[in-house]
Amino acid sequence: LNQIMLNRTIRPEPQPILLPVLPELHAHKLSNGIPVYFVQHGTQPVLEIQYVIRGGYSYEQKTGASQMAFKMLTEGTQNYSGIELARKLDELGCFISAESGFEASTVSLSSLTKLLPQTLPLLAEVCFQPAFSETEFLKMKDRMLQGLQVEQGK
């Protein structure tokens, strides 16, 4: 094996700083005034939509409320139970997630572009018609409490 020895007594020549090439940001405003921003990136016919809501755990009055509320969004809607919603998303090969952050929270959809007519209504339903089922709430609460116990080493 040839081993290359580095001579650390000789300073390497400085190299130019390469600036990243970012894709162009496009902005649009819907007829109801909601701003839409998008970046066309890559060649695959997939898209990701993020519905960003101002609000997160910095706004909550009870610790964990926003995290619980956003986790519950994907646990069922007025028309689909949590399992039915998961099966429908799997059938379409798409993914919806909901997360609460510090000052903003997001609900995201990842989908094939050609399936947007089927997947966008599911995103809207998750956002605007969640079931907030008591049964699912209690299951989620138990899972979150178990997670906290694991983190605390109990």
Side-chain angles (χ1 to χ4, degrees):
L1 289 173
N2 287 342
Q3 292 184 342
I4 299 174
M5 297 297 293
L6 294 177
N7 184 346
R8 298 202 185 266
T9 62
I10 301 172
R11 189 174 91 197
E13 290 295 317
Q15 299 296 312
I17 296 174
L18 299 176
L19 297 175
V21 178
L22 299 175
E24 183 180 352
L25 176 66
H26 301 276
H28 179 73
K29 193 168 275 200
L30 300 177
S31 61
N32 61 3
I34 295 176
V36 174
Y37 303 96
F38 66 96
V39 173
Q40 190 160 353
H41 184 68
T43 58
Q44 296 299 316
V46 295
L47 61 86
E48 180 169 336
I49 296 174
Q50 290 188 340
Y51 179 52
V52 181
I53 301 111
R54 186 178 307 142
Y57 45 89
S58 67
Y59 291 86
E60 62 190 27
Q61 295 176 9
K62 187 168 184 174
T63 303
S66 64
Q67 183 181 13
M68 176 66 89
F70 273 83
K71 284 183 178 271
M72 286 295 298
L73 289 176
T74 57
E75 295 299 318
T77 68
Q78 299 297 320
N79 295 311
Y80 296 99
S81 70
I83 290 174
E84 291 169 336
L85 180 62
R87 286 184 180 148
K88 185 71 174 170
L89 296 172
D90 283 347
E91 182 182 299
L92 293 168
C94 67
F95 182 75
I96 293 178
S97 64
E99 295 183 24
S100 177
F102 184 69
E103 290 197 7
S105 299
T106 60
V107 183
S108 302
L109 165 70
S110 296
S111 171
L112 289 173
T113 304
K114 68 182 180 182
L115 295 177
L116 189 61
Q118 291 102 320
T119 58
L120 190 57
L122 293 172
L123 176 65
E125 191 164 331
V126 164
C127 291
F128 303 113
Q129 296 178 312
F132 292 119
S133 152
E134 185 174 353
T135 303
E136 294 299 328
F137 173 81
L138 294 173
K139 288 179 190 177
M140 180 67 69
K141 180 180 171 185
D142 286 345
R143 284 194 301 264
M144 289 179 79
L145 289 173
Q146 288 173 359
L148 289 172
Q149 288 173 345
V150 168
E151 284 179 20
Q152 295 171 354
K154 291 183 180 180

